Amino acid sequence: MHRRQAFRTVLLLAALSACVGQGSRPTSGAAPTEQAGEHQNLQVLPKDIPHDELIAVMRNFTSSLGVRCTHCHVPYEGGPPDSLNFASDAKPTKDVARGMMRMVREINGDLLPDVPNLGENPMQVGCMTCHRGAPRPVTLEDSLGTVARRMGVDSAVAAYGALRRQYYGRGTYDFGERSLSTLASRLTAEGRAADARRILELNAEQFPSSAGAAFELGRAYEAAGDRARAITQYRRALTIQPNNRQAQERLRALGEQP
Ligand code: HEC
Ligand code: HEC
């Protein structure tokens, strides 16, 4: 198929999400002054794309990735920082973006139509499908895990706060209790039990009314031989959820009355 047709769809989607996405998102930059037909270095988009359509595609990029134009475009050498040389390929991210555009075009144009049982009008993949407002489409547990391994668990705790302040409510990351719990299991499996415990403490702080978070933290303390703290967490789990069987069992195993 259908390259041309698929391309139209991508543009349409881009234009749509550009309209919807305006407002609070970091879209803008200096409005470029070129007119249609004056674009010098288009390798993926049609060379005769009207300027408005091109800008709609670019706005879709900024809102899907949560970035500004300068994420992919550099200023003119020696020029003011707000006059961008859009034709320049000096930023590596611009070429990554070209690769992503080709990938998305192939998915929508060639691969999706061959997937069975999707019905008449399958959804189209766009930059937002994966990126969800972040420059790199990684999960919260992946991001924080990388920080914990490279810079230590305290940095990961700080990064959690920063990411939450910036992205909460946008759908970029899952800030539900499962993310930190998953991260803690991974750290435990890597032999980083103390780091895992710190992450579970954070989870219990963030979700003070979750019996599950309290119980998991209790387990981590128990594994570390910290009986008193484990008991406190199991009791907390039972205050939140009086019939929590797992917490009752652990308390009995530790010789305590549930
Ligand atoms: C995620 C990276 C990315 C972001 C962010 C981005 N662009 Fe682009 N831009 C590109 C790529 C890639 C091309 C080249 C497309 C091609 O080769 O078909 C391009 C091309 C252009 C061109 C055409 C330049 C020429 O003469 O060849 C203009 C104008 C432009 N972008 C404006 C903008 C504006 C304005 C913004 C901010 C609203 C923006 N871009 C944000 C990646 C980006
Ligand atoms: C199928 C999922 C998917 C889609 C759709 C997608 N991306 Fe990506 N994108 C990725 C992945 C995966 C990475 C690499 C993350 C990493 O490991 O650094 C990435 C990385 C990037 C980067 C490099 C970011 C950096 O800071 O190094 C840019 C730029 C980018 N994508 C732009 C786009 C644009 C523009 C679109 C839409 C045309 C798009 N992506 C669509 C999955 C996707």
Side-chain angles (χ1 to χ4, degrees):
M1 154 161 166
H2 339 295
R3 294 239 159 190
R4 182 95 204 160
Q5 188 193 334
F7 215 89
R8 291 267 159 235
T9 319
V10 171
L11 289 178
L12 187 71
L13 281 173
L16 273 178
S17 41
C19 299
V20 174
Q22 269 165 11
S24 64
R25 291 216 173 86
T27 46
S28 79
T33 49
E34 301 102 305
Q35 296 301 308
E38 286 184 20
H39 307 122
Q40 303 154 36
N41 189 15
L42 296 183
Q43 300 172 25
V44 184
L45 292 165
K47 297 209 190 309
D48 62 349
I49 184 174
H51 189 67
D52 288 354
E53 276 186 41
L54 175 94
I55 294 305
V57 171
M58 294 298 145
R59 291 242 159 89
N60 176 56
F61 290 174
T62 55
S63 61
S64 299
L65 274 64
V67 297
R68 296 179 177 277
C69 309
T70 49
H71 189 68
C72 302
H73 295 292
V74 290
Y76 286 99
E77 228 171 288
D82 58 347
S83 80
L84 298 180
N85 180 357
F86 291 110
S88 160
D89 286 345
K91 276 226 162 158
T93 40
K94 187 180 177 192
D95 232 22
V96 175
R98 280 201 181 100
M100 293 275 155
M101 293 163 80
R102 293 192 177 101
M103 173 187 78
V104 166
R105 189 168 64 182
E106 202 166 314
I107 292 174
N108 291 324
D110 297 336
L111 301 175
L112 261 182
D114 289 341
V115 176
N117 301 329
L118 289 183
E120 281 285 296
N121 290 307
M123 240 181 70
Q124 299 283 289
V125 171
C127 312
M128 190 66 167
T129 313
C130 297
H131 281 267
R132 302 215 168 246
R136 297 178 58 233
V138 286
T139 62
L140 186 60
E141 54 269 33
D142 285 344
S143 289
L144 297 180
T146 305
V147 175
R149 283 173 209 112
R150 289 197 190 147
M151 296 155 72
V153 73
D154 289 338
S155 301
V157 171
Y160 178 84
L163 289 176
R164 202 172 189 287
R165 274 190 298 281
Q166 188 177 352
Y167 289 108
Y168 188 83
R170 294 217 201 155
T172 306
Y173 295 111
D174 177 359
F175 287 103
E177 64 181 279
R178 192 159 299 270
S179 300
L180 290 179
S181 165
T182 302
L183 172 58
S185 312
R186 286 186 196 164
L187 292 171
T188 306
E190 291 164 24
R192 308 174 74 107
D195 292 353
R197 229 156 39 236
R198 181 70 192 91
I199 294 298
L200 291 173
E201 284 169 356
L202 174 64
N203 212 22
E205 251 165 67
Q206 293 290 322
F207 297 94
S209 55
S210 161
F215 178 77
E216 275 192 79
L217 180 56
R219 291 294 283 168
Y221 285 140
E222 200 184 333
D226 193 338
R227 186 174 181 278
R229 282 210 172 94
I231 290 170
T232 307
Q233 291 306 319
Y234 295 146
R235 291 214 181 286
R236 225 165 60 78
L238 282 173
T239 312
I240 299 163
Q241 194 184 70
N243 56 1
N244 187 301
R245 290 254 306 283
Q246 291 176 302
Q248 291 169 349
E249 271 166 30
R250 289 321 307 157
L251 282 172
R252 275 194 214 99
L254 290 172
E256 293 284 306
Q257 276 299 322

